[in-house]
Amino acid sequence: SLSGVFHQHKATEIGTVRLRFATDKGGITVDIPNVVYIPSCRLNLISENLMRKVGVEIRGYKDKAIVSFKGRRIVFPMVDSFYL
């Protein structure tokens, strides 16, 4: 379990998550295994380490975020519209 400031959260499942990084110019779909699901958390995070293990690379460059996976690359503007 994970202890927050006022709450204790319990992981209920571990499994594979399918992420889609997409823009109007295309997308990349990535399956990430061994992700922990905690339903009582408003935000469930996937570690950068897990993404690296499956080959995802996320870099920032000037005003852009660049997601690379298996030779494909998606470029996002660094604004509030960039979500994982």
Side-chain angles (χ1 to χ4, degrees), residues 22-38:
T23 68
D24 58 349
K25 296 180 181 177
I28 297 172
T29 302
V30 180
D31 290 333
I32 301 179
N34 301 316
V35 175
V36 175
Y37 175 61
I38 305 171

Side-chain angles (χ1 to χ4, degrees), residues 1-11 38 40-41:
S1 66
L2 173 72
S3 294
V5 176
F6 298 105
H7 305 284
Q8 187 166 12
H9 301 281
K10 185 174 181 178
I38 305 171
S40 59
C41 286

